[in-house]
Amino acid sequence: MAGLRTGAGATRTWQRRHSAAVTLLALLLTCRVRCSAQSAKPSNIILILADDQDVHLGGMTPMKKTKALIGDAGATFVNAFTVTPLCCPSRSSILTGQYPHNHEVRNNSLSGNCSSSLWQKGPESTAFPLYLSKQKYQTFFAGKYLNQYGKDVGGVGHVPPGWDQWHALVGNSQYYNYTISVNGKEEKHGDSYEKDYFTDLITNRSLHFLDDRSPQHPFFLMLSPPAPHSPWTAAPQYQKEFNDVKAPRDGSFDKPGKDKHWLLRQPVNPMPESSLTFLDSVYKKRWQTLLSVDDMVELLVKKLESIKELDNTYIFYTSDNGYHAGQFSLPIDKRQLYEFDIRVPLMVRGPGIKPNQTLQAPVLNIDLAPTILDVSGVNLSSVNLDGQSFLSQMAPSLRNGTARPFFLVEYTGEGHLKTDPACPKLGPGLSQCFPDCVCEDAFNNTYACVRTLDKEHNLQYCEFADSESFVEVYNLTSDPHQLENIVKKVDPTVLQAMNQRLIKLQSCQGDSCHNIK
């Protein structure tokens, strides 16, 4: 029994050993937590951005796979909006998280700052892909970027900062016979379906990127297919689909633009048969082009499953703006302040997002950048964005947050300096005059709106920058199709309050856009 110690000495020895064991256990537990946090790879992110896809008129209807694989598997936002209903300024807002009055891209023209030197030296240089790159994300872009990209400033050699792989279309949407910049090198394409159909090319290159990526780091893919933008060229296998489909004839379809801005008062009403035939043909072709995007989503999800990354990947599906087809006798286009042009589809799936959610909170395209950065782990207080993360809306277990009660929609009109040969009777200053000489835009189609959307209010107040100082006001609870401009019926104190709120929104920047009363 010589080795056995008793009494106070034995007690002290036991206490020292117990204390050491507790300390060691604490260190092991701390290491386990820290190591787990350090070794866990941040979530991957995919953003799919359609071109001119409406949601208000049933534009998602043909995309059964996309709705099942993203919407049903996650969250569908039924009140998603663009802050400006036109491609280049909207895409600029998506990339920067800023309202147009801050990134200063006003329309699709170079003079309107679409891919201008001012854009490239300013907002583009701090767009959200740069932050992802700093977070060690592997970044990939394929598709339409900005309407004037590659045409002038910087040419195809210009690759915006933050992108590891760059496959960007030169100019506006095309399906065949286009040029792309591949990491700054020009690549021309013809009219072979197997080699050149642009939606499929984007899909295939994104799948190759996923095969070649480094598994040690997260990835971000932004895919921007041409569909359903003009020239509405469907893949050969889909050109006989939807032959019986016509544009919906309900709501504001072929209604006169009574008490609206002058541009809405000029179309012939009712529309001539030639306009109806044209817009029905376009509507069908738009649906046909979306079937290839539906295939894209399916192939991406299958690839993510095969490389065991689906459960750690957020997939966002949206569009840059909405679209109309016959509303208020306007045949086809966007650019207007009404629901059919400013509402966009938005579906998201990913970690922490419960399936089959339908969410009512209003979400804007300027919210995509802060949400993506939030997912990536960037401290949002370190970036000055007009938008706000909506991660708390779709995954409340991950974040706390509140929905905004109102927001800004703004647009700067485009027009020709000279008479449009296609529509000489209406003179200069107009554009998009087709078919049948119906002009869809003008220099003074320049407006700003405040949209209020919460449990108690569903209102829109808009002011035009024109010689009339025209104002449109709609109660969308009682008038969801915006048929009646109630500006002369509303209490003047309400109009004054909306005007003051609009003034504040038009000058807001960063955090100040979040706190307007």
Side-chain angles (χ1 to χ4, degrees):
M1 303 292 292
L4 180 63
R5 300 179 62 186
T6 59
T11 301
R12 286 193 295 272
T13 300
W14 179 87
Q15 288 175 335
R16 285 195 300 269
R17 289 176 178 172
H18 177 71
S19 176
V22 169
T23 301
L24 179 60
L25 179 61
L27 287 171
L28 286 171
L29 288 172
T30 301
C31 179
R32 182 178 177 183
V33 172
R34 287 177 178 170
C35 292
S36 175
Q38 290 173 356
S39 63
K41 188 176 66 174
S43 295
N44 310 302
I45 308 165
I46 296 176
L47 172 60
I48 302 171
L49 179 65
D51 197 351
D52 283 3
Q53 185 174 5
D54 71 272
V55 66
H56 207 54
L57 305 175
M60 285 301 302
T61 304
M63 304 190 70
K64 293 181 172 60
K65 299 171 187 174
T66 300
K67 288 190 289 184
L69 294 171
I70 302 180
D72 293 349
T76 297
F77 289 85
V78 295
N79 289 311
F81 297 86
T82 179
V83 297
T84 186
L86 189 64
C87 301
C88 198
S90 175
R91 289 163 182 264
S92 302
S93 286
I94 289 169
L95 289 163
T96 62
Q98 295 178 333
Y99 281 117
H101 67 261
N102 287 325
H103 62 60
E104 298 186 296
V105 178
R106 296 184 294 276
N107 49 46
N108 284 346
S109 66
L110 190 63
S111 62
N113 277 331
C114 181
S115 203
S116 66
S117 57
L118 180 65
W119 157 260
Q120 292 179 8
K121 293 176 183 176
E124 185 183 63
S125 65
T126 57
F128 79 81
L130 185 65
Y131 290 94
L132 293 179
S133 181
K134 291 179 180 179
Q135 293 287 101
K136 306 301 182 184
Y137 272 75
Q138 302 163 88
T139 57
F140 174 92
F141 179 89
K144 173 181 170 179
Y145 181 57
L146 302 175
N147 296 58
Q148 300 298 327
Y149 170 76
K151 289 183 171 183
D152 192 356
V153 181
V156 297
H158 173 68
V159 177
W163 297 104
D164 298 321
Q165 290 290 320
W166 180 252
H167 304 257
L169 179 70
V170 173
N172 206 358
S173 281
Q174 293 289 330
Y175 297 82
Y176 294 109
N177 300 307
Y178 54 84
T179 299
I180 59 175
S181 169
V182 179
N183 300 322
K185 303 294 184 182
E186 182 180 81
E187 182 178 287
K188 290 185 176 293
H189 285 263
D191 57 5
S192 167
Y193 171 71
E194 290 76 14
K195 294 188 299 182
D196 303 314
Y197 191 69
F198 195 40
T199 304
D200 291 357
L201 181 136
I202 294 168
T203 304
N204 293 334
R205 295 197 178 183
S206 67
L207 298 177
H208 287 310
F209 173 80
L210 290 174
D211 281 333
D212 296 339
R213 82 202 189 289
S214 168
Q216 282 73 40
H217 296 287
F219 56 79
F220 170 70
L221 280 71
M222 182 171 177
L223 308 180
S224 184
H229 196 283
S230 63
W232 313 296
T233 310
Q237 67 270 28
Y238 295 133
Q239 290 180 3
K240 294 183 180 180
E241 298 292 328
F242 310 122
N243 279 335
D244 296 329
V245 168
K246 291 185 177 182
R249 265 41 175 187
D250 56 359
S252 57
F253 184 86
D254 206 12
K255 294 289 194 301
K258 182 182 177 182
D259 297 327
K260 289 178 167 53
H261 187 235
W262 75 270
L263 195 63
L264 273 291
R265 302 196 296 266
Q266 55 89 22
V268 174
N269 179 267
M271 284 186 286
E273 193 64 33
S274 54
S275 287
L276 292 169
T277 301
F278 178 78
L279 70 87
D280 280 336
S281 174
V282 168
Y283 194 86
K284 175 186 70 176
K285 291 176 181 177
R286 283 165 53 81
W287 276 24
Q288 291 172 344
T289 65
L290 285 169
L291 292 177
S292 292
V293 184
D294 213 29
D295 291 340
M296 169 194 285
V297 172
E298 180 184 40
L299 288 169
L300 277 168
V301 169
K302 286 182 176 179
K303 173 60 74 174
L304 292 172
E305 284 179 321
S306 70
I307 61 176
K308 296 180 172 52
E309 291 284 3
L310 182 60
D311 291 341
N312 192 38
T313 301
Y314 287 87
I315 306 176
F316 296 74
Y317 185 94
T318 190
S319 174
D320 51 5
N321 48 257
Y323 206 73
H324 58 257
Q327 283 61 47
F328 297 121
S329 299
L330 297 172
I332 57 158
D333 200 39
K334 50 266 186 176
R335 308 167 200 266
Q336 308 304 328
L337 57 87
Y338 308 103
E339 295 285 281
F340 42 74
D341 283 359
I342 65 173
R343 281 184 177 268
V344 294
L346 177 60
M347 297 177 291
V348 191
R349 68 171 291 169
I353 303 177
K354 293 180 180 179
N356 293 304
Q357 293 188 75
T358 300
L359 302 178
Q360 302 291 332
V363 171
L364 310 180
N365 62 345
I366 58 172
D367 298 335
L368 287 166
T371 304
I372 289 170
L373 292 181
D374 195 4
V375 167
S376 75
V378 170
N379 183 351
L380 294 182
S381 65
S382 67
V383 291
N384 192 32
L385 303 180
D386 302 340
Q388 57 194 58
S389 172
F390 56 88
L391 186 57
S392 62
Q393 302 297 327
M394 55 189 178
S397 63
L398 301 180
R399 293 286 187 278
N400 294 321
T402 57
R404 61 164 61 78
F406 52 82
F407 54 89
L408 175 69
V409 176
E410 53 189 345
Y411 178 69
T412 302
E414 290 182 270
H416 296 293
L417 295 174
K418 299 178 180 179
T419 299
D420 187 340
C423 198
K425 69 179 182 182
L426 289 176
L430 297 116
S431 63
Q432 311 302 312
C433 300
F434 65 92
D436 298 316
C437 194
V438 178
C439 297
E440 305 254 4
D441 204 9
F443 282 131
N444 69 356
N445 184 39
T446 297
Y447 56 80
C449 306
V450 59
R451 181 79 164 81
T452 301
L453 182 59
D454 56 27
K455 292 181 180 179
E456 297 179 1
H457 304 98
N458 193 1
L459 302 171
Q460 187 179 31
Y461 171 93
C462 301
E463 296 181 0
F464 281 85
D466 62 6
S467 59
E468 296 179 275
S469 298
F470 202 80
V471 176
E472 295 187 29
V473 183
Y474 298 98
N475 181 341
L476 286 103
T477 300
S478 59
D479 180 22
H481 302 294
Q482 298 165 288
L483 300 175
E484 183 185 9
N485 179 6
I486 59 172
V487 63
K488 295 179 181 178
K489 298 181 179 180
V490 178
D491 185 333
T493 59
V494 174
L495 294 180
Q496 184 178 12
M498 297 289 272
N499 167 265
Q500 292 302 305
R501 187 173 285 169
L502 181 59
I503 291 172
K504 292 177 182 177
L505 280 168
Q506 285 183 281
S507 60
C508 78
Q509 184 177 30
D511 287 342
S512 68
C513 297
H514 310 158
N515 303 315
I516 295 173
K517 302 297 184 182

